[in-house]
């Protein structure tokens, strides 16, 4: 027997309509490309999103069309999130840091009808005009007075589109499984793969995010998303913030420590979200300002790659709660929650810090499992390490127009293979060992680069580091520690090895240490181990 409750479609448009009614005056502040600060609110965002929806229809956009954005975090990008999906079209957020080859691939694969771009990215488009579909049209996200001369043919002005339309428009109703967003993985190997979100998955994810990160979301609170709107939906902030009435402060193109610090301080931002490399930049800025954290900063969400214990401690010691979470483009992206709740939040500080270095715990509606190489489930005892699989309403069930990759991604039980290697303990804490492709296999045993990095980072003279696999005749692979020394310091190899000793078995210790001025980053701002491995491919280990 079925229940007798109504079955209304979950729609993204309802999120911004709610914010317009219930949280109209909560502010959205954006750093513009001209360096000024622009302030708007949810009422205006909703109104302009409706105008933009009408403009899209006037331009011939239909349900299912892919409409791309190539843009920083700012109010217009937020409007497009609602304007595009509101009419059943698909918002394809392009990562501007993709290589030329990858960008050409994604735009052609998505067959983008329109590309909305920030002024910064005009040169990228100009360089690809003959590589992108000839039917693609371009819209510059700018006011009339900032429209520059450029080689893009028939380029349209964003504010012109808005100005021509009234806001007298109601978003249509359609099936909640209608596609709403498209985000390609950065594809360090092979072509990028498109994750196609739906209205249903997006609304459910927004609710899950509001629940597990309730500390960040409420009226009068402000979030600064450093995580880009082009990276996995900026971790769901564009949806969870309007539902909860949380204000947003968008950093635009300025993501360096000083700019981020100034914005956090100026607006007394409560919570900031981003990958570890960004927080290391902020930490340096804080130390240059005598160790004073930005006023108002209460918590920080860290994800995308492992947050080192030293980073967690540095912020916690300043009174900033650090929430370490794990996820992927394919998981919307929240996969686990790192917010320590009772009874763990009452543990002695050192035990809490240890738990914070884990990737968090299982969340509602998302199932996790670890399996061996034959697909057999492994016990969740904190010791067994296996391939991590995930299942749920907010998890990709395949890739857009890519049958081969879709087939390879899902196992017999309908779980998605993450490509991560991890353990899960009795209490549901997930602890990542590595990405499968970053694992170091020495003499048939795995060595966790994350564990080694965590310890090395706790050395005061180490600013950043990475542990990578170096090919080895006898052991297949051996670990190499790549260190970026703190300014004016150069810890010796002996000193660093001594610092690691006692924390690892002898066979897990790095064979050698090399020094770099900085570490290469991926398109999503993470340390690129692939680039490092290529660089040190022929390195001869000292021992
Ligand atoms: P990209 O592939 O471009 O880095 P994703 O954000 O989809 O984009 O990457 C997801 C991967 O990032 C995960 O599979 C995992 O390897 C890594 N990751 C995400 N969060 C964490 C975390 N908290 N700790 C360690 N690794 C993480």
């Amino acid at each position: 027997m079925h229940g007798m409750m109504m079955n209304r479609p979950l729609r993204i448009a309802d999120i911004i309509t709610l914010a317009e009614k219930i949280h109209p005056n909560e502010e959205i502040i954006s750093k513009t490309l001209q360096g000024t600060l622009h302030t708007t609110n949810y009422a205006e965002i909703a109104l302009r999103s409706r105008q933009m929806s009408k403009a899209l229809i006037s331009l011939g956009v239909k349900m299912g069309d892919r409409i791309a954005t190539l843009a920083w975090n700012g109010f217009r990008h937020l409007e497009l999130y609602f304007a595009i999906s509101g009419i059943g079209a698909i918002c394809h957020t392009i990562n501007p840091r993709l290589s030329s080859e990858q960008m050409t691939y994604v735009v052609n694969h998505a067959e983008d009808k329109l590309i909305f771009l920030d002024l910064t990215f005009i040169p990228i488009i100009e360089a690809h005009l003959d590589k992108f579909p000839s039917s693609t049209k371009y819209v510059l996200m700018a006011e009339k007075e900032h429209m520059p001369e450029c080689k893009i043919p028939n380029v349209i002005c964003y504010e012109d589109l808005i100005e021509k339309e009234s806001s007298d428009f109601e978003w249509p109703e359609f099936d909640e499984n209608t596609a709403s967003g498209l985000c390609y993985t950065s594809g360090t190997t092979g072509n990028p793969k498109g994750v196609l979100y739906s209205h249903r998955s997006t609304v459910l994810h927004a609710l899950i995010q509001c629940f597990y990160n309730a500390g960040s979301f409420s009226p009068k609170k402000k979030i600064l998303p450093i995580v880009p709107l082009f990276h996995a939906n900026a971790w769901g902030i564009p949806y969870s913030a309007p539902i909860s009435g949380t204000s947003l402060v968008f950093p635009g193109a300025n993501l360096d420590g000083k700019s981020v610090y100034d914005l956090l301080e100026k607006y007394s931002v409560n919570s900031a979200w981003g990958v570890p490399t960004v927080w290391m930049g902020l930490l340096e800025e804080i130390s240059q300002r005598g160790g004073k954290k930005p006023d108002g900063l209460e918590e920080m969400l860290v994800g995308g790659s492992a947050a080192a214990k030293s980073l967690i401690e540095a912020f916690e010691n300043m009174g900033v709660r650090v929430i370490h979470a794990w996820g992927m483009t394919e998981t919307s992206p929240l996969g686990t929650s790192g917010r320590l709740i009772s009874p763990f939040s009452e543990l002695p500080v050192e035990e809490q810090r240890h738990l914070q270095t884990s990737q968090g715990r299982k969340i509602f509606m998302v199932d996790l499992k670890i399996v061996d190489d034959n697909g057999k489930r492994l016990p969740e005892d904190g010791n067994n390490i296996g391939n991590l699989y995930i299942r749920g309403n907010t998890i990709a069930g395949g890739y857009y127009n890519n049958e081969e990759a879709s087939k390879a991604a899902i196992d017999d039980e309908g779980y998605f293979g993450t490509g991560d290697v991890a353990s899960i303990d009795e209490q549901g804490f997930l602890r990542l060992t590595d990405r499968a492709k970053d694992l170091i296999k020495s003499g048939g045993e795995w060595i966790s680069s994350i564990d080694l990095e965590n310890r090395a980072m706790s050395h005061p003279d180490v600013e950043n580091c990475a542990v990578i696999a170096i090919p080895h005749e006898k052991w297949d692979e051996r670990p190499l520690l790549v260190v970026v020394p703190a300014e004016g310091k150069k810890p010796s190899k002996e000193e660093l090895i001594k610092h690691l000793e006692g924390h690892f078995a002898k066979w897990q210790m790095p064979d050698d240490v090399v020094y770099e001025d900085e570490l290469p980053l991926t398109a999503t701002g993470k340390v690129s181990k692939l680039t490092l491995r290529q660089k040190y491919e022929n390195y001869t280990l000292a021992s």
Side-chain angles (χ1 to χ4, degrees):
M1 193 188 292
H2 278 170
M4 289 178 65
M5 307 312 282
M6 293 182 189
N7 190 356
R8 303 280 305 136
L10 302 176
R11 285 192 317 167
I12 290 173
D14 291 327
I15 292 177
I16 198 68
T17 314
L18 176 98
E20 181 179 29
K21 186 91 187 148
I22 305 298
H23 312 293
N25 301 320
E26 298 302 329
E27 288 181 340
I28 315 298
I29 295 147
S30 309
K31 181 102 177 256
T32 69
L33 293 177
Q34 289 73 35
T36 55
L37 290 157
H38 173 280
T39 305
T40 180
N41 57 34
Y42 282 123
E44 271 176 33
I45 295 274
L47 192 129
R48 283 166 54 89
S49 301
R50 279 200 295 272
Q51 287 172 290
M52 184 49 80
S53 282
K54 278 180 91 175
L56 291 172
I57 292 170
S58 304
L59 287 168
V61 174
K62 305 248 172 345
M63 275 191 78
D65 282 346
R66 276 75 62 207
I67 307 299
T69 62
L70 192 60
W72 301 110
N73 287 2
F75 66 99
R76 292 192 184 96
H77 205 169
L78 185 68
E79 287 164 3
L80 288 170
Y81 259 65
F82 295 103
I84 297 170
S85 62
I87 57 168
I90 299 164
C91 181
H92 168 207
T93 49
I94 305 178
N95 184 337
R97 301 187 194 115
L98 290 180
S99 69
S100 167
E101 210 184 343
Q102 290 173 327
M103 199 171 297
T104 304
Y105 175 84
V106 301
V107 172
N108 283 288
H109 187 262
E111 298 172 276
D112 293 319
K113 193 161 187 169
L114 285 171
I115 299 182
F116 284 79
L117 64 140
D118 268 336
L119 298 178
T120 327
F121 303 121
I122 292 173
I124 294 187
I125 296 295
E126 286 178 338
H128 289 82
L129 281 174
D130 59 340
K131 299 188 179 83
F132 290 171
S134 55
S135 55
T136 306
K137 294 189 186 127
Y138 300 91
V139 182
L140 274 182
M141 296 163 71
E143 300 84 2
K144 272 185 246 173
E145 62 269 31
H146 292 132
M147 289 292 285
E149 288 283 311
C150 69
K151 291 194 212 109
I152 306 172
N154 306 319
V155 69
I156 305 166
C157 169
Y158 187 99
E159 291 302 329
D160 258 356
L161 287 181
I162 296 255
E163 206 176 89
K164 277 190 206 133
E165 305 290 346
S166 76
S167 60
D168 178 18
F169 178 73
E170 265 188 43
W171 278 300
E173 218 171 276
F174 38 71
D175 182 346
E176 64 181 12
N177 290 303
T178 302
S180 58
L182 178 63
C183 185
Y184 284 79
T185 59
S186 51
T188 36
T189 50
N191 280 325
K193 291 172 283 188
V195 179
L196 192 61
Y197 307 102
S198 68
H199 283 258
R200 175 184 158 77
S201 74
T202 304
V203 172
L204 290 176
H205 183 268
L207 296 175
I208 295 176
Q209 185 66 281
C210 280
F211 175 73
Y212 282 99
N213 285 311
S216 285
F217 294 106
S218 80
K220 295 286 156 250
K221 292 232 174 194
K222 294 194 187 82
I223 297 186
L224 188 138
I226 299 184
V227 52
L229 287 162
F230 58 74
H231 183 204
N233 307 311
W235 300 352
I237 292 173
Y239 307 113
S240 300
I243 290 184
S244 56
T246 312
S247 278
L248 294 174
V249 179
F250 284 129
N254 304 100
L255 304 176
D256 58 289
K258 181 180 178 311
S259 306
V260 170
Y261 189 109
D262 287 344
L263 266 189
L264 290 171
E265 173 105 332
K266 183 172 169 71
Y267 291 105
S268 286
V269 170
N270 305 89
S271 159
W273 296 34
V275 294
T277 29
V278 168
W279 303 130
M280 282 152 73
L282 181 65
L283 206 53
E284 213 178 299
E285 182 65 23
I286 291 174
S287 94
Q288 275 173 22
R289 300 194 195 203
K292 184 191 159 294
K293 72 161 179 134
D295 278 338
L297 189 62
E298 292 165 354
E299 63 179 41
M300 238 175 65
L301 247 100
V302 194
S305 49
K309 193 174 179 197
S310 54
L311 183 81
I312 296 172
E313 279 171 347
F315 279 100
E316 287 278 356
N317 291 344
M318 278 180 247
V320 180
R321 201 174 312 118
V322 179
I323 295 128
H324 182 197
W326 167 88
M328 311 177 72
T329 306
E330 288 90 334
T331 64
S332 292
L334 197 68
T336 55
S337 167
R339 197 174 285 271
L340 288 189
I341 51 170
S342 184
F344 305 101
S345 51
E346 285 118 44
L347 288 172
V349 169
E350 188 50 31
E351 286 175 49
Q352 287 190 42
R353 297 293 169 265
H354 175 67
L355 288 177
Q356 283 170 291
T357 61
S358 83
Q359 275 66 22
R361 296 171 91 196
K362 175 186 158 45
I363 55 176
F364 179 58
M365 283 204 298
V366 175
D367 302 325
L368 299 172
K369 67 173 181 181
I370 45 168
V371 302
D372 66 14
D373 286 341
N374 301 316
K376 194 172 145 272
R377 271 186 199 245
L378 293 170
E380 297 180 3
D381 57 5
N383 293 318
N384 275 281
I385 294 172
N387 302 306
L388 178 65
Y389 278 73
I390 187 165
R391 183 174 74 177
N393 292 302
T394 52
I395 312 301
Y399 292 103
Y400 175 61
N401 264 351
N402 192 337
E403 223 170 283
E404 201 187 324
S406 299
K407 236 189 229 159
I410 310 295
D411 77 357
D412 295 344
E413 290 183 338
Y415 277 73
F416 171 85
T418 65
D420 285 335
V421 174
S423 65
I424 300 175
D425 72 13
E426 289 90 345
Q427 278 122 356
F429 282 96
L430 172 76
R431 200 167 273 282
L432 246 68
T433 305
D434 255 315
R435 278 188 165 191
K437 54 184 185 250
D438 291 333
L439 266 178
I440 303 157
K441 291 196 191 84
S442 173
E445 298 279 354
W446 287 346
I447 298 174
S448 164
S449 64
I450 295 181
D451 287 351
L452 285 167
E453 288 158 9
N454 235 323
R455 178 66 194 157
M457 286 286 283
S458 70
H459 192 287
D461 297 347
V462 174
E463 187 185 298
N464 202 355
C465 74
V467 176
I468 54 164
I470 297 292
H472 191 280
E473 246 177 45
K474 183 170 174 199
W475 303 111
D476 287 338
E477 289 176 347
R478 290 295 302 151
L480 173 72
L481 172 61
V482 186
V483 167
V484 177
E487 210 177 314
K489 308 277 186 215
K490 181 143 187 202
S492 67
K493 175 182 163 183
E494 292 68 33
E495 202 182 328
L496 289 166
I497 296 292
K498 199 158 168 248
H499 185 72
L500 298 174
E501 264 166 11
H503 295 264
F504 300 93
K506 216 163 164 233
W507 60 272
Q508 295 172 320
M509 295 286 285
D511 280 15
D512 214 342
V513 180
V514 291
Y515 301 86
E516 289 279 346
D517 292 337
E518 55 184 13
L519 297 180
L521 299 182
T522 68
T524 43
K526 309 176 189 184
V527 172
S528 173
K529 294 204 176 168
L530 180 71
T531 315
L532 283 175
R533 275 202 307 273
Q534 284 165 344
K535 175 165 181 185
Y536 289 100
E537 209 170 19
N538 298 317
Y539 186 80
T540 314
L541 293 164
S543 47

